[in-house]
Amino acid sequence: MSANFFTSLNWTVMDKTTLFIQVCYTVAALVLVWLLHYVFIQPLNRIRDLCDTGYQDQARWDRYGRTKRQLANEARRNKKVGDVPPVFPNGWFALCESEDLKAGQVLAVKALDENLAVFRTEEGKVCVLDAYCPHLGAHLGIGGRVVDDCIECPFHGWKFSGHDGKCTSIPYSKGKVPTSAQVKKWPCHEVNGFVFFWYHAETDKSLEPEWTVPELDVISSGRWKYRGRTEYKVNVHIQEIPENGADVAHLAHLHGPSMLGGSDLTSIDKSNCPGKLNGTSAPILHHHWEVGWQGPEHGAADRHIAVTTIKHDLRLFGRIPFILMEVEAKQIGPGLVYLTLDTSLGRCVLVQTVTPIAPFTQRVLHRLYASPTVIAPYAKLILWGEAIQFERDVAVWNHKTYIRHPVIVSEDRTISKHRRWYQQFYSENSPRIETIMENRKGSLDW
């Protein structure tokens, strides 16, 4: 063979090697760019359904090949409800996030066992109406169309005003619109990245909110950066979730182990948590908490607000604190919390909303905003750590029963205080689980 053949073959091999190296460099560069974008720019978005948290033990012991959803549904059926308070308290509840609702868009939303049509007019105003058209019962949120400041029924084209719920037009009728042709208009308020609506079981108070959702200027002004969200569905009575803020004793036991241990309750090593007598050595990392809960003064105008203060630090070998944080959790009514976090790099605020979809199904949303001094990776680490800790609570909530008269010790007295404070959100006609189950008899279930 000629020398030219070997030379050509050698160049071909070199060309392929060079091409392979270039491809590797390109892929590595793209991965690096994606990683930097994810860490420094893209907000965190963590979503967990009812079956995603708290069913690891059932999955480990299952011998029948059932899915997590099947195991979760079985656990929900087997769970004893307990002697629960009314299932829907009175107050403001989040229906959706502002970014979910574009101008001219309609959403079908289920909240507090109500079916609602939530829409934004072309001018940007949010309206909330009962979902069912009084004509023949079509769902306005499914296929409904926004026309000016009205929503048009997808069945026959009847139009209902977003301002008062009255029918403004029947396209095929030449007569006068019947005065009874209207749907309920719910008070709503868009603030801090959420659309809220006012729910009250008493008819005379259902249209006149008793307080407003306070606006956070750091969010509305755009000065603080949005860094991410988490979303959960939880199988528990709504009161159990805010009551967590007054349950001081559970923090050391459930939330003391490092967040690196995850949220699987069986796998978390609690043997060396602070306060444990059987621990032989200090854990490498643990969370330390100092908590106080304070309700409003008697007769205060803001009696719907309670405050939990938390001093938190992450300790190395039980001695050396190296991540310090002070938190103020302001509970505003039954379904809204503003958590202000003071960290070594600056301040953040976490907005938590809790909305009952059904009596024992809560939708919990968190949105984190951080001051400019809090860099994105640190803010997302805070949100991720909060999510892990919250999921430990979810794993307990999904299986616990409600005990109206618990056996408590003196250190648990804030739980009793919180329950007395929370009673103000129930009224004479607040729905009870017995009534709802009775009303559901004969409903279709495939």
Side-chain angles (χ1 to χ4, degrees):
M1 295 184 182
S2 66
N4 289 336
F5 173 79
F6 289 105
T7 302
S8 174
L9 182 62
N10 186 46
W11 275 108
T12 301
V13 173
M14 291 180 64
D15 287 345
K16 289 183 177 179
T17 303
T18 303
L19 179 62
F20 176 75
I21 293 173
Q22 289 176 342
V23 169
C24 289
Y25 280 145
T26 302
V27 171
L30 290 174
V31 170
L32 179 61
V33 169
W34 175 86
L35 185 62
L36 292 173
H37 179 269
Y38 177 80
V39 172
F40 288 95
I41 299 176
Q42 182 178 335
L44 180 67
N45 186 25
R46 186 181 181 92
I47 301 175
R48 295 291 183 268
D49 201 358
L50 274 171
C51 62
D52 291 332
T53 303
Y55 301 101
Q56 292 90 337
D57 282 349
Q58 285 86 340
R60 274 191 283 266
W61 290 103
D62 180 60
R63 297 294 183 267
Y64 304 99
R66 289 172 291 182
T67 65
K68 287 195 302 181
R69 188 168 297 277
Q70 290 172 325
L71 293 169
N73 284 332
E74 181 181 64
R76 294 183 74 194
R77 289 192 297 269
N78 293 338
K79 175 177 175 175
K80 292 185 177 180
V81 170
D83 185 12
V84 295
V87 289
F88 300 140
N90 302 317
W92 288 100
F93 297 94
L95 295 177
C96 63
E97 293 161 278
S98 295
E99 61 200 34
D100 295 332
L101 200 61
K102 306 294 188 296
Q105 189 175 359
V106 185
L107 294 178
V109 179
K110 178 74 175 292
L112 290 96
D113 226 25
E114 302 283 350
N115 289 294
L116 306 170
V118 184
F119 64 98
R120 191 185 296 277
T121 68
E122 296 294 348
E123 290 75 28
K125 180 180 174 58
V126 174
C127 304
V128 180
L129 302 179
D130 264 353
Y132 296 118
C133 177
H135 176 217
L136 286 178
H139 196 300
L140 300 174
I142 307 295
R145 187 169 67 97
V146 176
V147 180
D148 298 324
D149 60 353
C150 298
I151 186 170
E152 180 184 80
C153 177
F155 204 8
H156 297 88
W158 291 33
K159 295 184 181 68
F160 298 89
S161 168
H163 299 298
D164 55 17
K166 294 181 179 179
C167 181
T168 61
S169 171
I170 302 174
Y172 56 86
S173 174
K174 297 180 181 178
K176 185 179 179 181
V177 175
T179 56
S180 59
Q182 63 179 25
V183 293
K184 181 176 180 178
K185 165 72 166 67
W186 295 82
C188 61
H189 184 33
E190 184 173 14
V191 64
N192 302 327
F194 289 93
V195 174
F196 296 90
F197 89 123
W198 173 259
Y199 173 90
H200 204 290
E202 310 307 319
T203 304
D204 60 331
K205 297 182 179 180
S206 62
L207 299 179
E208 295 296 334
E210 296 177 358
W211 71 86
T212 59
V213 179
E215 180 179 7
L216 295 175
D217 180 64
V218 294
I219 296 177
S220 59
S221 66
R223 296 202 310 270
W224 286 17
K225 297 291 185 181
Y226 167 65
R227 293 304 186 189
R229 67 190 292 278
T230 61
E231 177 179 345
Y232 298 91
K233 285 185 179 178
V234 188
N235 176 30
V236 73
H237 188 282
I238 182 175
Q239 184 176 316
E240 304 263 29
I241 296 178
E243 187 173 290
N244 223 44
D247 184 4
V248 177
H250 89 288
L251 288 171
H253 185 77
L254 185 61
H255 300 296
S258 167
M259 62 186 182
L260 299 178
S263 58
D264 185 347
L265 299 184
T266 304
S267 301
I268 298 172
D269 181 14
K270 300 175 184 175
S271 60
N272 290 320
C273 285
K276 289 290 180 182
L277 299 178
N278 60 342
T280 57
S281 61
I284 296 176
L285 287 175
H286 79 259
H287 299 272
H288 179 262
W289 314 83
E290 294 181 15
V291 185
W293 182 87
Q294 181 63 49
E297 295 182 3
H298 180 71
D302 57 352
R303 61 189 180 91
H304 60 281
I305 297 177
V307 178
T308 300
T309 55
I310 303 172
K311 290 186 178 181
H312 164 268
D313 57 80
L314 188 61
R315 296 186 177 181
L316 186 65
F317 300 114
R319 296 176 179 273
I320 308 171
F322 67 99
I323 295 183
L324 308 176
M325 188 180 300
E326 292 190 2
V327 181
E328 180 190 77
K330 184 176 290 187
Q331 175 83 38
I332 305 168
L336 175 64
V337 180
Y338 293 159
L339 291 98
T340 304
L341 302 94
D342 253 323
T343 76
S344 54
L345 293 183
R347 304 183 76 196
C348 304
V349 63
L350 186 74
V351 180
Q352 179 196 70
T353 65
V354 183
T355 303
I357 300 173
F360 292 92
T361 304
Q362 314 301 326
R363 183 177 183 233
V364 184
L365 289 174
H366 300 104
R367 289 177 68 92
L368 181 72
Y369 295 84
S371 61
T373 59
V374 181
I375 59 175
Y378 185 60
K380 292 168 72 173
L381 177 65
I382 291 173
L383 183 57
W384 176 79
E386 189 276 339
I388 296 299
Q389 297 286 14
F390 184 77
E391 287 167 20
R392 294 179 185 178
D393 289 312
V394 173
V396 173
W397 289 329
N398 279 347
H399 300 278
K400 77 184 298 294
T401 190
Y402 182 86
I403 299 179
R404 182 178 289 271
H405 302 293
V407 178
I408 61 174
V409 294
S410 60
E411 289 80 1
D412 296 322
R413 59 185 177 275
T414 49
I415 296 175
S416 300
K417 291 181 179 180
H418 182 274
R419 289 190 174 189
R420 288 194 294 270
W421 171 79
Y422 202 89
Q423 284 299 308
Q424 66 180 295
F425 304 118
Y426 303 124
S427 55
E428 181 180 358
N429 293 309
S430 291
R432 293 188 173 273
I433 185 60
E434 300 84 3
T435 305
I436 291 177
M437 297 308 293
E438 182 68 26
N439 292 338
R440 287 184 178 181
K441 284 184 178 180
S443 63
L444 299 177
D445 186 10
W446 287 288

